[in-house]
Amino acid sequence: MSTTTKNEINTKLEHPFLAMMGVLIGGFVGMLSETSLNIALPSIMKAFSIETGTVQWLVTGYMLVIAIVLPLSSLLTKHFSTRGLVRSALIIFIVGSIVAALAPDFPVLLAGRMIQGIGTGIVLPLMFSIAMRIFPPNKLGAALGVAALVIMFAPAIGPTLAGIILGVLSWRWIFWSFIIFLLIALAFMEKNLTNVFEVTKPKVDWLAICLSTVSFGLIVFGISFLSKNMTLALIALVVGLVVLVIYIRQQLHAETPTLDFKVLKTSRFVTGSLLVMIDFGITLSAMYLLPMYIQNGLGVAVALTGVVLLPGGLVNALVSFLAGRAYDKMGAKILTRLGFIFSAVGALMFIFSGVHSSLGYIIAAHIIIMIGVPMAMAPSQTYGLNSLDAFQSADGSAIINTFQQVIGAVATGIATLLLSTGQSNYFADGGHSAAQAFTQGAHYGFIFTFVLAILGFILAFRVKDVKDASTEVPEE
């Protein structure tokens, strides 16, 4: 069953979760791809005889393309049908996966990764904007909780799945495995998804697209170069931030903005968005450091590393599912604060770990973080998006997901810088153990994760309870 109005089409569906399944699986694969390669980077370095600074572009280059494409998502929903967009995103990701799986050299592999980034950049915001259209308000928390599960569970489980694959096959099969999921997503999409956005085809603001591309591209590029060339990185960051300010001002005064930044006038949306970004930074910094620390600091084999990370990944999935439902009953206030407390405790445990720490201790610390991160994520996301009306939701979702990817790149870049700094300081102090050096570097990185958790906890005190939030009048 569906109803159609001038501005909303097919917004009431008999089986909304089935309609969402294709885009949820697509989003899952996109986020899975963000961390699944972390555990395979040493194998890829060996295969193509490249250094760490080069191979890291498989991570930062992917996020760079996502950050460029994401701001265009709201515009795309106004120019192309929902089904067409999702179909294109999934097919683009499949093409990128095939290119990467068959890559004869590193440049081709990187090209495949960046093609994948286009697909992810399209599908990620669609998960949330479609959910805002097809679920009633009393079920939106649970629906966005499932979407948040995709965002949080996929990066958490990525190293585990990749570790299992690497234990029996080569790194190329990581990309082949993506294709299997994506074909299933396509089948669900073709059978169940309907068009939920009105195609109005507004005039394309090419200046805005150029400003968006340059600003987000330079910011992610600058962050990725912090540990390689500080001068170049800072120049790129400053220029990128200046262009970003120009882009936002231009969009605020545009007649038909590519991305409607007026949603930033709603304080609840800003608070929820900032919490989501901080939470995502915790996830990516921790999941970037942890697989390498387990292998290089503790000396655990790659296949066993995936097994060590499995309990935390499963807990992440369970808490993500429960947190969305809990929001519908109790709101975001308590859940966000508790979530960041758990994350801080888990990060602190990693800071006090060492080369002789037991795997049980590492698993426990990982589980604690994987309780905290999803406990804060779904309530923060829903709290922010619920403050917008249905027509602002696509822009709100695009803004959250765009800056989330930028923050993810920032978190990964800073973690990389701190990791190398800790290692360098260890050797400068006369140390000789590579495992001890890596452990000290990882500790530096986990301090950053801990600081993010504390910042999130402090910001969570701006979240109002259910009654206050429901009676708040959105700001104009």
Side-chain angles (χ1 to χ4, degrees), residues 19-79:
M20 285 282 294
M21 192 59 67
V23 73
L24 286 172
I25 296 174
F28 175 82
V29 175
M31 297 305 299
L32 182 72
S33 186
E34 289 209 345
T35 58
S36 59
L37 278 192
N38 288 347
I39 202 170
L41 295 183
S43 301
I44 294 174
M45 290 169 61
K46 183 177 180 180
F48 294 120
S49 300
I50 54 178
E51 298 179 350
T52 304
T54 302
V55 79
Q56 284 176 348
W57 271 102
L58 293 178
V59 179
T60 54
Y62 180 70
M63 287 191 287
L64 171 65
V65 175
I66 295 174
I68 289 173
V69 174
L70 269 169
L72 306 178
S73 61
S74 179
L75 178 67
L76 291 174
T77 62
K78 297 166 186 172
H79 278 267

Side-chain angles (χ1 to χ4, degrees), residues 254-390:
E255 185 176 341
T256 53
T258 302
L259 201 57
D260 188 3
F261 284 99
K262 291 185 178 67
V263 297
L264 297 179
K265 295 180 180 180
T266 304
S267 61
R268 275 179 55 200
F269 174 75
V270 172
T271 298
S273 300
L274 289 174
L275 289 174
V276 168
M277 293 169 202
I278 292 173
D279 211 34
F280 194 64
I282 292 171
T283 302
L284 283 201
S285 61
M287 294 313 301
Y288 174 74
L289 293 166
L290 189 53
M292 294 189 293
Y293 166 55
I294 293 174
Q295 292 179 74
N296 299 329
L298 303 180
V300 176
V302 62
L304 182 56
T305 298
V307 176
V308 170
L309 296 172
L310 180 59
L314 295 176
V315 168
N316 180 290
L318 177 62
V319 177
S320 294
F321 178 74
L322 295 177
R325 292 179 176 271
Y327 173 88
D328 289 332
K329 296 181 179 180
M330 58 191 298
K333 183 177 179 179
I334 300 300
L335 292 172
T336 52
R337 295 176 191 178
L338 282 176
F340 286 111
I341 288 175
F342 272 101
S343 294
V345 171
L348 202 60
M349 289 179 68
F350 282 126
I351 293 171
F352 286 103
S353 65
V355 293
H356 300 298
S357 294
S358 68
L359 290 183
Y361 178 88
I362 299 300
I363 291 171
H366 184 219
I367 286 175
I368 290 173
I369 283 188
M370 290 297 101
I371 291 173
V373 166
M375 185 180 290
M377 174 60 75
S380 299
Q381 186 105 346
T382 311
Y383 178 80
L385 288 177
N386 257 351
S387 66
L388 307 178
D389 62 38

Side-chain angles (χ1 to χ4, degrees), residues 289 292-293 296-297 419 423 433-443:
L289 293 166
M292 294 189 293
Y293 166 55
N296 299 329
L419 176 64
Q423 290 176 289
S433 169
Q436 288 279 12
F438 199 94
T439 298
Q440 178 168 305
H443 286 167

Side-chain angles (χ1 to χ4, degrees), residues 271 275 332-333 336-337 340 455-464:
T271 298
L275 289 174
K333 183 177 179 179
T336 52
R337 295 176 191 178
F340 286 111
L455 288 175
F457 176 70
I458 294 172
L459 182 62
F461 280 87
R462 287 180 54 87
V463 176
K464 299 179 180 181

Side-chain angles (χ1 to χ4, degrees), residues 30 33 57-58 61-66 69 88-101 107-123 175 178 182:
S33 186
W57 271 102
L58 293 178
Y62 180 70
M63 287 191 287
L64 171 65
V65 175
I66 295 174
V69 174
S88 298
L90 296 176
I91 291 175
I92 288 170
F93 203 111
I94 289 173
V95 171
S97 298
I98 293 173
V99 170
V108 175
L109 174 59
L110 180 59
R113 282 291 283 168
M114 297 180 86
I115 293 171
Q116 288 179 322
I118 297 173
T120 302
I122 295 173
V123 81
F175 295 104
F178 294 157
L182 293 167

Side-chain angles (χ1 to χ4, degrees), residues 4 6 11-12 34 48 52 94 107 117 152 177 207 273-274 308 339 416 426 429 440 471:
T4 303
K6 180 178 179 181
T11 55
K12 293 183 180 179
E34 289 209 345
F48 294 120
T52 304
I94 289 173
M152 304 312 298
S177 69
L207 175 61
S273 300
L274 289 174
V308 170
T416 301
Y426 173 82
D429 292 337
Q440 178 168 305
T471 57

